[in-house]
């Protein structure tokens, strides 16, 4: 009897426990659903909804809603701490910029140092902010647009080579630019990042005035301009991107954040055409300045071509690249006026991120008056460039097959790699006073002049009697096709072979003439570098006639390489 009573009580107790547990779980599930619905409702709240729930006096001072309020709060906080920032930043600027000033010190100045430096009492004002999270590199990037009308007190102690000491004050500083802050790497411990990098991402405006304390700086000719250039070069070299200053927050190795070269850029300045004439008598005498960073020792200048609005340079320059994603290559063309200041004809720019690593890009760029002005309808001419970007970590990078101390240009390495069918080892970027060996791209260039298309009419009957003169710029060898009478679409199909001694620095010129009994009329020309045919070995293409309203030449080019060695002393 006791057994049956115990069994009934046990079953009842078990059922009660199960029912109670089920009800508890249902209640918890209901609360979870209600909490999820509440969270979803809060996630859909707008700024106006939150303002209806809580009055503004209940919000802490750091809570803001709009970007303008964020900037207002940021500027207010910066104003509060500016005296401390001024003290720390002034000393940092003095110790870091003074050596750079000495580097760019003009020859007429014997020494250049700060005798006083303080940033003043007026804090900069931030006018824009953007935050970019970079999960790939485990960092956060912030860009702040800043405007600063400073009352800084900066005095330079300048000593000229004439023995004159000048205390020069830098006044009325007006600056507008974008600063970039990088918080990297992100870590779990506070403040959640290991180091911060800062750099001047973009300099929009930098104006200042120089004044000799107790005198006029204009009393010594050349000092003012020389000092202005020195200060601007120091700013460019010390804090302008891709240069960045690394401040460790948590102890560790942050050498990977420092500025390091990532590759080389080969630039071939080929030619320009239809340049604006800057001279009243005769034609302009153009030369070009090419650079990646606008520093005196990193800018390359071409030779001057006298009295020519369609100059041919065919010059090669090599640059170090520190950040291919943001850097650009800039070319500026000037009219050489001798001892007077050169007149700018026009400029152009190419972003390095638009270049495919290891591939030559052939571009014609329209010249503009100012790179910052997007709308410039005036025709200032065009410039022709060939660009090759080679990262250091490129897997198919061509080796130097001779010795580590011998160096080649990236273009030579690319071509040599294609010829040898190999690649892989590194090369020495450091220049040396010892002998170095360079590759001369020697070979045979076969040019087939296939046909012409829509050539300009030169005769009274609306026809022409065209023929083509072929020549290499560095060679005296010339060939001429036969004359095709009364045709604007002639077919020649003639092949000519040139022995090329230095293909990297030579050019093929094809000039089209109209044949008459006692004279010949110039119709136009095509100017080709040999880069593409050496890389591809053989190709066929139609080329527009320069200097003509219409017309094309269809050519077939073939390259048979015969590389040889030469020794040069740098």
């Amino acid at each position: 009897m006791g057994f049956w009573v115990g069994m009934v009580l046990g079953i009842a107790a078990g059922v009660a426990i199960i029912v109670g547990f089920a009800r508890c779980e249902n209640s918890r599930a209901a609360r979870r659903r209600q909490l999820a619905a509440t969270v979803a409702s809060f996630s859909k709240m707008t700024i106006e909804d939150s303002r209806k729930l809580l009055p503004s006096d209940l919000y802490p001072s750091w809570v803001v809603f709009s970007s303008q309020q964020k900037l207002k709060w940021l500027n207010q906080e910066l104003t509060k701490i500016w005296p401390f920032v001024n003290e720390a930043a002034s000393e940092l600027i003095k110790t870091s910029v003074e050596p750079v000033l000495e580097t760019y010190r003009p020859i007429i100045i014997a020494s250049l140092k700060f005798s006083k430096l303080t940033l003043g009492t007026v804090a900069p004002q931030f006018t824009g902010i953007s935050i970019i999270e970079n999960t790939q590199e485990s960092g956060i990037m912030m860009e702040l647009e800043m405007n600063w009308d400073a009352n800084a007190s900066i005095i330079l102690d300048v000593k000229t080579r004439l023995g004159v000491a000048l205390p020069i004050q830098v006044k009325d500083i007006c600056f507008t630019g974008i600063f970039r802050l990088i918080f990297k790497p992100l870590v779990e411990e506070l403040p959640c990042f290991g180091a911060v990098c800062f750099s001047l991402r973009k300099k929009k405006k930098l104006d200042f005035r120089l004044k000799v304390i107790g005198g006029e700086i204009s009393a010594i000719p050349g000092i003012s301009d020389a000092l202005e250039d020195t200060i601007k070069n120091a700013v460019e070299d010390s804090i302008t991107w891709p240069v960045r200053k690394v401040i460790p927050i948590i102890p560790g190795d942050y050498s990977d954040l420092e500025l390091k070269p990532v590759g080389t850029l080969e630039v071939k300045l080929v030619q320009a055409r239809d340049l604006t004439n800057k001279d009243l008598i005769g034609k302009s005498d153009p030369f070009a300045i090419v650079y990646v960073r606008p520093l005196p020792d990193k800018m390359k200048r071409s030779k001057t071509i006298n009295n020519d609005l369609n100059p041919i340079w065919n010059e090669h320059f090599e640059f170090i690249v520190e950040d291919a994603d943001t850097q650009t290559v800039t070319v500026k063309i000037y009219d050489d006026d001798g001892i007077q200041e050169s007149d700018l004809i026009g400029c152009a720019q190419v972003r390095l991120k638009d270049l495919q690593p290891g591939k030559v890009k052939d571009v014609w760029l329209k010249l503009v008056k100012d790179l910052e002005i997007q709308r410039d309808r005036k025709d200032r001419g065009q410039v022709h460039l060939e660009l090759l970007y080679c990262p250091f970590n490129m897997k198919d990078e061509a080796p130097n097959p001779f010795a580590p101390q011998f160096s080649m240009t990236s273009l030579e390495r690319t071509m040599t790699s294609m010829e040898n069918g190999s690649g892989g080892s590194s090369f020495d970027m450091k220049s040396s006073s010892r002998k170095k060996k360079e590759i001369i791209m020697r070979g045979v260039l076969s040019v087939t002049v296939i046909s012409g298309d829509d050539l300009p009419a030169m005769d009274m009957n609306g026809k022409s009697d065209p023929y083509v003169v072929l020549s290499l710029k560095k060679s005296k060898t010339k060939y001429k096709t036969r004359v095709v009478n009364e045709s604007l679409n002639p077919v020649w199909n003639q092949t000519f072979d040139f022995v090329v001694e230095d293909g990297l620095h030579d050019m093929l010129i094809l000039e089209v003439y109209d044949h008459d009994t006692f004279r010949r009329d110039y119709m136009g020309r095509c100017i080709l570098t040999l880069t593409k045919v050496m890389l591809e070995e053989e190709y066929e293409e139609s080329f527009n006639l320069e200097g003509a309203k219409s017309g094309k030449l269809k050519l077939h080019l073939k390259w048979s390489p015969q590389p040889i060695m030469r020794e040069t002393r740098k």
Side-chain angles (χ1 to χ4, degrees), residues 238-252:
S238 58
I239 63 169
T240 303
W241 185 266
V243 178
R244 74 289 309 254
K245 301 295 182 182
V246 182
I247 302 177
I249 304 299
I250 299 175

Side-chain angles (χ1 to χ4, degrees), residues 14-73:
V15 171
I17 291 173
I18 293 173
V19 171
F21 181 77
R23 287 186 176 181
C24 181
E25 286 297 311
N26 290 336
S27 177
R28 290 177 62 187
R31 289 198 301 270
R32 288 174 182 172
R33 287 193 298 270
Q34 185 178 3
L35 179 60
T38 303
V39 171
S41 299
F42 273 110
S43 67
K44 297 177 182 179
M45 284 178 57
T46 64
I47 294 175
E48 295 300 325
D49 294 332
S50 60
R51 286 176 174 171
K52 292 176 182 178
L53 291 175
L54 288 175
S56 59
D57 57 345
L58 294 181
Y59 286 103
S61 60
W62 48 268
V63 176
V64 290
F65 294 106
S66 67
S67 59
Q68 292 298 323
Q69 289 174 312
K70 290 178 182 178
L71 291 172
K72 183 179 179 180
W73 172 81

Side-chain angles (χ1 to χ4, degrees), residues 414-482:
T414 301
M415 293 178 178
T416 307
S417 174
M418 294 181 65
E419 292 175 4
N420 295 342
S422 61
S425 67
S426 61
F427 55 89
D428 183 18
M429 289 298 300
K430 297 181 179 179
S431 60
S432 173
S433 58
R434 295 172 295 177
K435 288 184 178 181
K436 69 173 184 177
K437 295 183 179 180
E438 296 176 339
I439 291 293
I440 298 180
M441 303 309 298
R442 186 177 186 273
V444 176
L445 175 67
S446 296
V447 183
T448 301
V449 184
I450 300 174
S451 61
D453 181 40
D454 194 25
L455 299 183
M458 305 298 291
D459 296 337
M460 296 293 293
N461 60 358
K463 299 289 186 179
S464 296
D465 307 313
Y467 68 94
V468 182
V469 176
L470 301 87
S471 63
L472 291 178
K473 185 173 176 59
K474 289 190 173 183
S475 173
K476 295 182 180 179
T477 305
K478 285 189 177 182
Y479 294 106
K480 184 174 72 171
T481 67
R482 65 178 178 274

Side-chain angles (χ1 to χ4, degrees), residues 321-342:
V321 176
E322 292 95 357
D323 184 30
D325 290 333
T326 61
Q327 286 186 296
T328 59
V329 57
T330 302
V331 55
K332 294 186 176 182
I333 299 180
Y334 294 87
D335 174 30
D336 192 348
D337 288 333
I339 60 174
Q340 297 180 357
E341 185 178 357
S342 300

Side-chain angles (χ1 to χ4, degrees), residues 20-240:
F21 181 77
R23 287 186 176 181
C24 181
E25 286 297 311
N26 290 336
S27 177
R28 290 177 62 187
R31 289 198 301 270
R32 288 174 182 172
R33 287 193 298 270
Q34 185 178 3
L35 179 60
T38 303
V39 171
S41 299
F42 273 110
S43 67
K44 297 177 182 179
M45 284 178 57
T46 64
I47 294 175
E48 295 300 325
D49 294 332
S50 60
R51 286 176 174 171
K52 292 176 182 178
L53 291 175
L54 288 175
S56 59
D57 57 345
L58 294 181
Y59 286 103
S61 60
W62 48 268
V63 176
V64 290
F65 294 106
S66 67
S67 59
Q68 292 298 323
Q69 289 174 312
K70 290 178 182 178
L71 291 172
K72 183 179 179 180
W73 172 81
L74 188 61
N75 289 326
Q76 288 175 347
E77 296 302 314
L78 180 60
T79 301
K80 293 178 183 178
I81 66 172
W82 180 248
F84 307 99
V85 174
N86 176 27
E87 184 178 354
S90 297
E91 186 61 30
L92 177 63
I93 292 173
K94 185 175 180 179
T95 56
S96 60
V97 174
E98 202 168 69
V100 183
L101 286 174
E102 188 65 20
T103 300
Y104 294 102
R105 173 173 51 84
I107 193 171
I108 61 175
I109 295 176
S111 68
L112 180 60
K113 295 182 179 179
F114 289 108
S115 62
K116 181 180 180 181
L117 194 154
T118 128
L119 300 181
T121 58
V122 178
Q125 295 294 299
F126 296 109
T127 57
I129 182 171
S130 62
I131 298 177
I132 307 168
E133 183 175 359
N134 192 339
T135 55
Q136 183 179 0
E137 298 182 1
S138 301
I140 294 178
M141 185 183 303
M142 176 186 296
E143 291 193 345
L144 296 166
E145 185 172 0
M146 189 182 79
N147 184 25
W148 189 31
D149 293 320
N151 62 345
S153 179
I154 302 175
I155 299 177
L156 294 169
D157 185 12
V158 179
K159 292 182 180 179
T160 68
R161 296 195 179 275
L162 300 176
V164 180
L166 300 173
I168 296 180
Q169 185 177 12
V170 183
K171 299 183 63 178
D172 302 333
I173 299 175
C174 181
F175 173 80
T176 302
I178 299 175
F179 274 90
R180 170 174 287 183
L181 301 176
I182 301 176
F183 303 92
K184 180 184 175 183
L186 300 182
V187 295
E188 294 182 357
E189 58 183 299
L190 291 175
C192 300
F193 52 88
V196 59
C197 303
F198 71 90
S199 176
L200 177 59
R201 172 67 183 86
K202 186 176 182 180
K203 180 178 62 180
K204 294 185 176 180
K205 180 182 179 182
L206 176 59
D207 291 331
F208 54 86
R209 190 164 61 91
L210 301 176
K211 178 178 175 57
V212 175
I213 298 177
E216 284 294 332
I217 196 170
S218 58
I220 302 180
I223 288 290
S224 179
D225 292 341
L227 283 178
E228 285 188 14
D229 291 341
T230 300
I231 293 172
K232 290 179 179 179
N233 289 334
V235 171
E236 178 70 34
D237 196 7
S238 58
I239 63 169
T240 303

Side-chain angles (χ1 to χ4, degrees), residues 296-365:
D297 59 337
K298 300 182 184 295
M299 302 169 74
K300 310 294 185 182
R301 173 173 171 160
S302 73
K303 61 179 178 287
T304 299
I305 308 295
N306 293 322
N307 199 39
D308 196 343
L309 300 180
N310 298 281
I312 300 174
W313 290 289
N314 198 35
E315 295 187 50
H316 172 267
F317 308 108
E318 184 169 351
F319 300 93
I320 296 297
V321 176
E322 292 95 357
D323 184 30
D325 290 333
T326 61
Q327 286 186 296
T328 59
V329 57
T330 302
V331 55
K332 294 186 176 182
I333 299 180
Y334 294 87
D335 174 30
D336 192 348
D337 288 333
I339 60 174
Q340 297 180 357
E341 185 178 357
S342 300
D343 294 327
L344 177 66
I345 297 176
C347 52
Q349 199 171 67
V350 177
R351 298 181 301 180
L352 300 191
K353 67 179 182 180
D354 294 335
L355 305 180
Q356 184 178 354
K359 300 292 184 181
V360 175
K361 184 170 184 176
D362 188 301
V363 291
W364 278 95
L365 302 174

